Amino acid sequence: MLKKRLIAVILIRNGQVVQSVRFKHTNIIHYDPVHALESFNRWAVDEIVLLNVSRDRQGHQGFVDVLKRLSASCFVPLAVGGWVDDVSYARTLLESGADKVVVNTKAFEEPEFITALSNRFGRQCVMVSIDARRNTVGEWEVAVNRGRDLRAAKAVEWAQTAVSFGAGELLVNSLDYDGNRKGYDLELMRTIARNVTVPVIAMGGVFTWQDLCDGIQKGEVDAVAAANIFHYTEHSTKKAKAYLIEAGLNFRPL
């Protein structure tokens, strides 16, 4: 049986690590992202997701410079995304130290982009990020453009489409739960996990280590990810991993 994964997410805006609350990224956590990564490297995280949440794509080169600095001291797989809208930029990220690329808006608007990335770099390198929000009738719809634009497309159906076009795994985030400290949207996670054939990563809302357990046990996902909580708790990922293992879940040992 494949082991579950504990993933730390680092959100970068204009070269600084920021907190996310309903996709607003105004609170600076670290002025130097290397400090955040160093703590995760030391304390049992299985993978790191690095996302550029800057408001425009003009900071491409600055983000690449940050990636190069981080990847030089990163000893776990590193998935990188944000403003990835062409194969050339994806290649630059991979050549600069990323192991995977994370795509969202461009993938939704042009699913063939997923196929192009998968054909060029391998399916295992392509992570599609899905941001979902409940509409007025209780259905999960897809949000794009950094969560600002809600589309009339069901999140579960989009997840299946993304996989059919070549996504190697899915990073699923609930905009309703992002930063609200109530745990994952377990129904959303479980529904998507049961309807696709690739690994699903849960994101959005973690406040306690039990939330991570619930993601695996009740959300039925393959990996659990968090951002805010890991930055505010000393030795956080080590404590989280110990809690998950003590709960009898199949994670890599400390």
Side-chain angles (χ1 to χ4, degrees):
M1 179 183 296
L2 292 176
K3 293 189 180 299
K4 304 297 185 180
R5 287 172 289 154
L6 177 66
I7 298 175
V9 178
I10 302 176
L11 305 176
I12 304 290
R13 179 178 175 182
N14 301 328
Q16 300 170 330
V17 180
V18 294
Q19 180 182 13
S20 178
V21 178
R22 293 184 180 270
F23 275 48
K24 293 181 173 60
H25 309 110
T26 55
N27 296 336
I28 298 173
I29 299 174
H30 293 286
Y31 286 93
D32 187 347
V34 171
H35 295 158
L37 182 136
E38 286 175 346
S39 64
F40 296 150
N41 261 334
R42 289 195 300 267
W43 300 115
V45 72
D46 298 307
E47 189 169 339
I48 292 173
V49 172
L50 183 69
L51 298 177
N52 179 8
V53 297
S54 300
R55 289 183 175 178
D56 57 57
R57 60 172 53 82
Q58 300 306 313
H60 268 187
Q61 187 53 53
F63 183 69
V64 170
D65 292 341
V66 169
L67 170 59
K68 289 178 178 178
R69 290 179 59 216
L70 295 182
S71 64
S73 57
C74 185
F75 308 115
V76 297
L78 183 60
V80 179
W83 297 104
V84 179
D85 52 14
D86 61 62
V87 173
S88 175
Y89 185 53
R91 181 186 299 109
T92 296
L93 295 176
L94 291 168
E95 291 175 348
S96 299
D99 298 286
K100 305 173 185 177
V101 291
V102 184
V103 293
N104 189 317
T105 301
K106 177 73 170 184
F108 180 81
E109 293 175 344
E110 299 179 25
E112 294 81 6
F113 181 54
I114 304 172
T115 305
L117 293 172
S118 182
N119 288 343
R120 178 64 181 84
F121 306 114
R123 189 178 194 126
Q124 78 284 351
C125 286
V126 184
M127 179 186 295
V128 172
S129 175
I130 298 176
D131 301 321
R133 174 178 290 159
R134 283 189 186 268
N135 60 20
T136 55
V137 295
E139 297 176 326
W140 295 291
E141 291 186 340
V142 177
V144 296
N145 192 19
R146 281 144 292 285
R148 289 179 290 189
D149 299 334
L150 190 64
R151 301 296 177 88
K154 294 181 179 179
V156 176
E157 293 179 359
W158 165 231
Q160 294 173 317
T161 298
V163 172
S164 72
F165 275 86
E169 57 188 330
L170 304 176
L171 174 64
V172 181
N173 193 10
S174 165
L175 274 74
D176 302 309
Y177 282 59
D178 182 62
N180 74 356
R181 300 183 175 188
K182 295 181 180 178
Y184 298 117
D185 184 338
L186 296 173
E187 185 181 357
L188 169 64
M189 304 305 166
R190 182 169 56 248
T191 302
I192 289 183
R194 288 179 176 180
N195 283 280
V196 298
T197 56
V198 301
V200 173
I201 304 164
M203 176 70 182
V206 172
F207 185 55
T208 69
W209 306 144
Q210 184 59 45
D211 292 335
L212 300 172
C213 284
D214 289 343
I216 299 294
Q217 295 173 321
K218 299 178 182 179
E220 302 179 12
V221 297
D222 302 275
V224 284
N228 300 346
I229 189 173
F230 289 148
H231 295 294
Y232 292 116
T233 306
E234 186 179 6
H235 300 172
S236 57
T237 51
K238 183 178 181 179
K239 293 177 181 178
K241 178 67 75 66
Y243 188 98
L244 292 164
I245 292 172
E246 289 171 7
L249 300 176
N250 186 29
F251 280 82
R252 177 175 59 85
L254 292 166

